[in-house]
Amino acid sequence: MNKSSQQCLFKVFVKPLILMSIMCLNVACSSERETPSSTQKAFESIAAPIELKVGEGFESPVGYYESKPRFSWEIAKNTHSNFQSSYQIQVSTTLDLLSEQPDLWDSKKVNSPNTSWIQYQGQPLSSRQNVFWRVKVWDEKDRPSEWSEPQSIELGLLTNKDWQAHWIGHPETKQSKKPSKSTIATPQYFRKSFNINKKINKARLYITSKGVFKPFINGEEVSKIDVMTPGWTPYSKRIETLTYDLTDKLTLGENTLASILAGGWFSARIADLKETDHTHSPLLLAQLEIQFTDGSKQIIKTDESWKVTQNGPIRFASNYDGEHYAQALEQPNWNKNEFDSAKWQSVYTQKIDPTIKLSPKRHEPIRIIDELSPIKIMNISKDSVVFDFGQNMVGVPEIKIPALANQKIKIEFAEALHMGEFYTDNYRSALSTNYFTPSKSERITYKPTFTFHGYRYIKLSGFDTSKTPSKDWVKALVQHSDIKLYDNFHSSHTKLNKLFSNINWGLKSNFYDVPLDCPQRDERLGWTGDANAFVTPSMYMADSYGFWSAWLESMREEQTDNGKIPLYIPYVEWIKWTSSGWGDAATIIPWELYMMTGDKSVLSDNYSMMKNWLKYHESQSDNLISNMQTFGDWLQPYPKAQGKKANRGDTDFSLIGTAFYARSVELTLKTAKVLNQQADIEQLTTLHQQIKAAFRNTFFDQNLKPKKGEATQTAYLLALEFNLLEQAEVKKAQHLLIKLIDKADNHLRTGFLGTPLLASALQKAGRSDLVYQLLFKESYPSWFYSINNGATTTWERWNSYSLENGFNPQGMNSLNHYAYGTISRWFYEGILGVKPIEAGFREFNVSPQFSHYLNQVSGTIPTTNGAIELNWTLEGNEASISLTVPKNSTAILDLAHLSNVTILKQGKAVTPKKRLTPGEYLINGKI
């Protein structure tokens, strides 16, 4: 039959039959959806689950840290099903067994709506083990899904016993030789050559350091983007290890594994304690495990056979002070096979200490995430030039500039210009300067390896001044912990969008393996008080759960025997006391993370720490009234006190301490209820009631006027937001708070402790209009004040800088501090109006707060069940809301502030109007 005859036959006979079949099938399907028979129901399936992840959001990780992983997934967006009624997880050692007969774990069908944090129930997984898993679900009609696509998990080295390697270092840095500070500060270069004579199946490099390392294989960087690895943990308790896949980077024959090592956080001072700088000698630990196709194995480990030198080009490295590089000392091919290391020395070795835990890194490392080009060249003089990148940030520059032999090039950094001049005084004792000494007159390329800087401006001097500076001389390599930023809020107001951008940049700049207070001066510490203010906003803005969970492990390790939580984590001796409102991170952060994720493990992991912190609170109180030291409402504007005491604000210290004591008890009580800790619930309930009564009677008279200290906005905010007043007194306290704000000409008077509570308290008082007034204020103190004065990040002080007068003369002026970025929480919970009712947003409240300051707002809130999407517009008094409720979730509408409300779903009216199941909605009403 020819082609035309086939086409004719298809049109006349076959096509009509196909169309009739499709029509019949559609009718049958329609009928089935309305009244499904048990037989039809059994054969009907829905789309497979998507977004499979383990732990705090890892997708098919290599070098994973949990022997009993937690599994999470989402219901497919394109399925007609809305809710999950059951699930089944299978885990196996091979893909074949996964589809035939899982040999590690089969949960069977489990009746549960939970799609997240399901813990593996098979035999604990072991180091190096590679497993596969998949999941299927049943919907609200008990219809099964297809199996998901399989995902893999490969574990790292979980215990110290898995390590055959020894720590290695340059013999001149051995502590028994009493090395000088300059010797310890000089990076070490290591190398080891080895042969491979079989076909490789798999190769993994497990590596870490006491210090920071940069590894190479056969002359290539193992990772071009990872920096300052392994990061910062309490080195006397735990050091994180990284796993790299080198399977495709090894060759038959000779290979060379190499690394550079510097002191990093391990050897560094904090603050201006220069006597402690470069006193701890850095060490390297590495183990390359090669599996061959014939089943045999080869291990290349750090041991006495490695070679080392300190005669490399990086002469000095310091987190605070920068890096020095000498081109004349470059050793070409030092990290390749064809190199003569005869002049190098043998390393010294040190056994692994069994009391210091080596464990896989549990969140993504710091990486080079972005590149920025300068927007302006300025202040060109006969021997220097300044480049403006237009954005305060963290990282290092890469320079490509004309150089003259032996003329040292100097690279300096600044956050802002002071009265038009390059200014570094706010870096305090941190020199934050890089030097490059060229050996040739040529165009050189250089980027620092073992330091980081907080800056907007770069000043170059020492270059070939016969050449005219151009923008292609420098670029900024932006670094931060590799967390996904959602960029998930936008409005019709330019300055509000700029504020959101500034807060984002503050987050990026200070999420540098630990949550820093600031990234530029001689501090850069994991301050707990700042973290309390910003943990929840950061969870709305970024995929930061793994980052915070890892830091909490360090916090647990740093808690002292008497329950004290240091002011900053990891702790390095400097300030020995702790503070109320700071140490309470032990209770605040686990609870906030639980509410944002629904993961009970963050509560169970930290419950003992929470209870021990309460014991410390008890030890620092008398008759339930706290006498704990405190930084107070740090950097409250317009304080009455003078000098250094002014930084701590006007709110009574004892009131602050007692309020946070009550708050920590309340959160620990809530945790006990979630974890069903019956033995603790009654005791904590009684204790909370007692502290609440003591607080009320001690600090406020019958008219709710303060008995001690000043009447401050923060005093009332603490009482209101920490639930320390009887319900009958709440309106009175709200009135007094609003009266204080009115007295301040509708400006805030809050510092680090009060500001995070301000918007929520006013919204509960029915005064979201006042939140908008505070938010949109242009004059000091306000968020827009910093924008009006050129801010590209959030500041430490409300008035750290002005375009007219430059830096605040009070000192301690970081222009990159995230604490006051806490207001972004209200962008989501207030302006968009989305807030979890049930932990993890399975049930959430929707109550957008409208204002004529804005005519359009849009935002997305990723949750464990999918993204909540909300957009609203306001034209006159007509409000319109577009809302997407993700699968397996329920939205509870609170639109009491709207009248004439109509709700449409797919063009059809929805009733009742209170609870919305998954889907897309259009809501209209009048304000």
Side-chain angles (χ1 to χ4, degrees):
M1 187 180 295
N2 62 33
K3 189 173 182 179
S4 60
S5 299
Q6 289 175 332
Q7 291 173 338
C8 182
L9 182 62
F10 178 82
K11 289 179 182 179
V12 175
F13 294 103
V14 181
K15 188 174 181 180
L17 287 172
I18 292 174
L19 291 172
M20 288 176 65
S21 299
I22 292 172
M23 290 172 65
C24 291
L25 182 60
N26 285 340
V27 172
C29 288
S30 175
S31 174
E32 180 179 310
R33 280 195 292 269
E34 293 175 10
T35 55
S37 69
S38 59
T39 304
Q40 291 169 326
K41 185 176 171 182
F43 287 99
E44 195 176 341
S45 65
I46 59 176
I50 59 172
E51 300 294 332
L52 273 65
K53 296 175 182 176
V54 294
E56 296 86 358
F58 293 93
E59 298 180 37
S60 293
V62 173
Y64 190 63
Y65 74 97
E66 286 183 309
S67 61
K68 288 195 169 184
R70 290 158 293 150
F71 301 109
S72 300
W73 59 89
E74 294 178 18
I75 298 173
K77 297 176 179 63
N78 60 352
T79 182
H80 293 296
S81 303
N82 283 330
F83 293 96
Q84 175 186 291
S85 62
S86 306
Y87 67 80
Q88 182 178 1
I89 300 171
Q90 294 181 335
V91 186
S92 192
T93 53
T94 69
L95 283 171
D96 288 339
L97 285 173
L98 186 66
S99 59
E100 296 168 4
Q101 189 171 356
D103 59 337
L104 291 176
W105 183 47
D106 188 337
S107 71
K108 305 300 183 182
K109 185 178 180 181
V110 178
N111 294 327
S112 170
N114 295 331
T115 60
S116 303
W117 324 117
I118 309 301
Q119 191 166 54
Y120 169 75
Q121 297 296 318
Q123 287 295 314
L125 304 180
S126 58
S127 297
R128 309 176 184 84
Q129 191 168 1
N130 189 40
V131 302
F132 301 89
W133 72 285
R134 63 179 185 173
V135 62
K136 69 184 295 186
V137 300
W138 285 260
D139 69 3
E140 65 269 31
K141 297 181 180 179
D142 203 32
R143 294 176 297 190
S145 74
E146 302 291 338
W147 282 105
S148 69
E149 289 294 319
Q151 298 291 309
S152 64
I153 310 170
E154 183 180 321
L155 278 72
L157 300 186
L158 302 183
T159 71
N160 289 24
K161 292 180 181 179
D162 295 310
W163 289 86
Q164 298 179 28
H166 285 67
W167 294 104
I168 60 172
H170 193 287
E172 294 303 315
T173 67
K174 198 172 183 178
Q175 286 291 308
S176 62
K177 292 190 174 184
K178 298 182 179 180
S180 66
K181 290 180 182 291
S182 62
T183 297
I184 292 175
T186 304
Q188 306 170 44
Y189 291 70
F190 299 91
R191 58 174 280 121
K192 165 75 175 181
S193 292
F194 57 95
N195 281 288
I196 294 175
N197 54 17
K198 298 179 183 178
K199 189 174 181 181
I200 298 170
N201 177 48
K202 183 172 75 172
R204 297 289 186 265
L205 173 63
Y206 306 103
I207 185 168
T208 190
S209 64
K210 295 179 180 180
V212 287
F213 65 86
K214 184 69 176 176
F216 300 83
I217 186 70
N218 295 328
E220 293 185 12
E221 296 173 272
V222 168
S223 171
K224 294 184 181 299
I225 58 174
D226 289 7
V227 297
M228 302 296 285
T229 46
W232 192 12
T233 53
Y235 293 112
S236 64
K237 308 286 181 62
R238 176 175 52 91
I239 299 173
E240 290 186 319
T241 66
L242 283 91
T243 304
Y244 292 104
D245 181 358
L246 299 191
T247 307
D248 297 329
K249 297 187 177 183
L250 299 177
T251 61
L252 285 173
E254 189 177 14
N255 293 265
T256 297
L257 179 62
S259 184
I260 317 174
L261 173 70
W265 293 278
F266 181 76
S267 302
R269 75 179 190 276
I270 63 170
D272 60 352
L273 305 179
K274 295 184 179 180
E275 69 277 7
T276 67
D277 211 7
H278 307 297
T279 55
H280 302 292
S281 299
L283 295 165
L284 180 72
L285 184 72
Q287 189 161 298
L288 172 59
E289 299 188 0
I290 308 166
Q291 293 181 0
F292 299 105
T293 54
D294 66 1
S296 60
K297 191 173 182 179
Q298 182 177 357
I299 296 178
I300 310 301
K301 58 183 183 288
T302 46
D303 57 19
E304 64 281 353
S305 66
W306 282 60
K307 294 290 188 177
V308 64
T309 186
Q310 284 189 297
N311 292 324
I314 305 177
R315 307 307 305 146
F316 172 87
S318 163
N319 288 1
Y320 287 172
D321 295 334
E323 186 176 282
H324 303 172
Y325 191 97
Q327 189 180 30
L329 293 178
E330 289 179 346
Q331 300 190 37
N333 301 319
W334 73 272
N335 49 18
K336 293 182 179 180
N337 300 327
E338 59 275 13
F339 180 79
D340 182 4
S341 60
K343 293 183 180 180
W344 287 33
Q345 294 178 261
S346 294
V347 300
Y348 85 94
T349 64
Q350 190 178 100
K351 289 183 178 180
I352 292 172
D353 185 341
T355 66
I356 301 175
K357 183 181 179 183
L358 299 172
S359 59
K361 192 167 185 65
R362 54 179 296 172
H363 66 107
E364 297 295 342
I366 305 163
R367 292 190 169 117
I368 299 170
I369 303 295
D370 199 2
E371 293 183 3
L372 299 180
S373 297
I375 62 169
K376 188 188 300 182
I377 300 176
M378 55 201 306
N379 294 19
I380 300 176
S381 68
K382 62 179 182 179
D383 59 1
S384 68
V385 61
V386 174
F387 295 86
D388 177 8
F389 288 90
Q391 176 62 58
N392 203 358
M393 71 190 116
V394 170
V396 297
E398 183 175 64
I399 63 170
K400 296 182 179 180
I401 62 175
L404 296 175
N406 302 315
Q407 181 169 293
K408 186 178 290 186
I409 294 167
K410 185 178 183 181
I411 311 166
E412 298 173 270
F413 302 85
E415 289 193 289
L417 303 181
H418 181 67
M419 311 293 284
E421 297 299 319
F422 201 79
Y423 181 90
T424 61
D425 286 2
N426 67 316
Y427 289 9
R428 302 194 303 209
S429 74
L431 299 178
S432 197
T433 303
N434 302 321
Y435 293 95
F436 184 100
T437 305
S439 60
K440 305 172 186 175
S441 296
E442 62 180 10
R443 187 178 175 92
I444 60 99
T445 298
Y446 167 66
K447 64 178 178 181
T449 304
F450 296 121
T451 190
F452 62 98
H453 309 278
Y455 67 100
R456 171 176 170 170
Y457 297 88
I458 288 177
K459 182 180 180 180
L460 294 180
S461 56
F463 55 87
D464 181 353
T465 55
S466 69
K467 305 295 191 295
T468 302
S470 63
K471 291 180 181 179
D472 64 358
W473 279 19
V474 294
K475 61 182 176 181
L477 306 179
V478 179
Q479 301 172 347
H480 58 79
S481 287
D482 191 4
I483 57 175
K484 178 183 178 182
L485 276 87
Y486 299 137
D487 192 21
N488 55 344
F489 178 85
H490 187 272
S491 78
S492 55
H493 197 281
T494 302
K495 285 186 182 177
L496 187 62
N497 294 336
K498 179 60 176 172
L499 176 59
F500 181 71
S501 172
N502 288 4
I503 296 169
N504 260 294
W505 276 100
L507 185 160
K508 287 189 281 190
S509 301
N510 289 291
F511 278 35
Y512 206 83
D513 206 67
V514 301
L516 304 177
D517 61 323
C518 61
Q520 75 295 82
R521 69 180 180 224
D522 59 353
E523 205 163 341
R524 313 185 196 187
L525 300 174
W527 282 92
T528 50
D530 305 56
N532 284 338
F534 200 62
V535 58
T536 306
S538 77
M539 289 289 289
Y540 278 112
M541 297 169 67
D543 185 7
S544 57
Y545 183 34
F547 177 85
W548 287 111
S549 295
W551 190 61
L552 280 175
E553 183 171 2
S554 294
M555 188 182 294
R556 295 194 296 273
E557 292 164 340
E558 296 286 29
Q559 186 173 37
T560 61
D561 292 340
N562 65 352
K564 183 177 77 173
I565 298 293
L567 290 168
Y568 42 88
I569 307 292
Y571 179 70
V572 180
E573 189 169 313
W574 177 34
I575 305 175
K576 296 181 180 180
W577 53 275
T578 194
S579 168
S580 58
W582 270 250
D584 296 280
T587 58
I588 292 170
I589 291 178
W591 181 258
E592 292 295 319
L593 293 178
Y594 168 67
M595 287 303 298
M596 293 297 291
T597 65
D599 184 9
K600 291 182 182 179
S601 70
V602 74
L603 298 181
S604 58
D605 287 349
N606 294 290
Y607 187 58
S608 292
M609 176 176 70
M610 297 168 82
K611 290 201 298 179
N612 288 334
W613 172 244
L614 296 188
K615 291 178 182 177
Y616 187 77
H617 255 301
E618 182 182 9
S619 74
Q620 302 295 303
S621 65
D622 184 12
N623 294 322
L624 304 176
I625 299 302
S626 177
N627 51 39
M628 190 185 298
Q629 286 184 264
T630 184
F631 280 109
D633 192 23
W634 188 245
L635 300 184
Q636 169 215 308
Y638 293 116
K640 291 189 176 181
Q642 299 296 314
K644 286 188 175 181
K645 290 183 179 179
N647 287 339
R648 303 194 181 195
D650 298 325
T651 305
D652 182 77
F653 291 173
S654 183
L655 182 152
I656 288 171
T658 307
F660 275 97
Y661 185 13
R663 181 60 169 168
S664 280
V665 171
E666 180 189 26
L667 296 181
T668 307
L669 172 59
K670 288 182 175 183
T671 298
K673 291 177 179 178
V674 172
L675 301 178
N676 197 29
Q677 297 289 326
Q678 292 299 326
D680 295 330
I681 291 172
E682 183 177 350
Q683 181 262 329
L684 290 170
T685 300
T686 300
L687 179 60
H688 183 250
Q689 290 170 346
Q690 291 172 339
I691 300 172
K692 180 177 176 178
F695 176 89
R696 172 65 185 84
N697 294 331
T698 302
F699 298 109
F700 294 97
D701 65 17
Q702 61 183 3
N703 296 315
L704 285 181
K705 298 294 179 67
K707 290 183 180 180
K708 299 178 66 178
E710 302 291 331
T712 65
Q713 294 178 16
T714 293
Y716 289 108
L717 288 167
L718 290 169
L720 287 165
E721 284 297 283
F722 289 179
N723 306 309
L724 296 175
L725 303 174
E726 296 302 324
Q727 191 58 42
E729 295 180 314
V730 167
K731 285 191 176 180
K732 175 69 171 176
Q734 291 172 336
H735 169 75
L736 291 170
L737 169 64
I738 292 166
K739 192 174 178 181
L740 286 173
I741 295 173
D742 179 67
K743 185 179 177 182
D745 190 27
N746 284 350
H747 282 78
L748 54 79
R749 292 289 186 269
T750 53
F752 277 33
L753 299 184
T755 304
L757 311 176
L758 186 59
S760 173
L762 290 175
Q763 183 177 335
K764 289 174 185 174
R767 293 301 309 273
S768 291
D769 63 313
L770 188 50
V771 183
Y772 273 107
Q773 289 182 52
L774 294 170
L775 180 56
F776 282 77
K777 280 286 180 187
E778 303 274 348
S779 53
Y780 168 78
S782 69
W783 284 277
F784 284 5
Y785 174 83
S786 65
I787 292 172
N788 294 339
N789 282 280
T792 63
T793 46
T794 45
W795 295 348
E796 180 175 23
R797 295 179 181 272
W798 292 109
N799 60 343
S800 286
Y801 181 86
S802 72
L803 292 174
E804 181 179 358
N805 298 313
F807 279 87
N808 186 320
Q810 290 177 287
M812 199 181 66
N813 284 300
S814 162
L815 301 188
N816 204 340
H817 243 73
Y818 60 52
Y820 287 140
T822 186
I823 188 61
S824 64
R825 179 173 185 168
W826 201 71
F827 295 2
Y828 303 95
E829 295 183 355
I831 298 176
L832 292 173
V834 176
K835 190 174 182 179
I837 297 173
E838 183 179 335
F841 290 86
R842 186 181 296 168
E843 188 170 279
F844 58 92
N845 193 66
V846 177
S847 185
Q849 303 300 293
F850 299 98
S851 170
H852 287 292
Y853 281 104
L854 302 170
N855 57 50
Q856 185 275 330
V857 175
S858 61
T860 301
I861 299 171
T863 78
T864 53
N865 284 310
I868 301 167
E869 299 176 18
L870 192 144
N871 174 82
W872 63 254
T873 59
L874 187 62
E875 296 182 11
N877 290 328
E878 298 286 339
S880 180
I881 306 168
S882 174
L883 171 67
T884 297
V885 180
K887 301 291 186 181
N888 217 41
S889 306
T890 302
I892 307 300
L893 291 184
D894 179 5
L895 302 178
H897 48 306
L898 293 183
S899 61
N900 302 327
V901 174
T902 62
I903 305 174
L904 300 177
K905 182 180 182 182
Q906 296 178 337
K908 296 181 180 179
V910 173
T911 54
K913 299 177 180 179
K914 180 76 172 174
R915 297 178 64 88
L916 301 184
T917 56
E920 297 179 0
Y921 296 87
L922 180 61
I923 304 167
N924 290 294
K926 293 185 177 181
I927 62 170

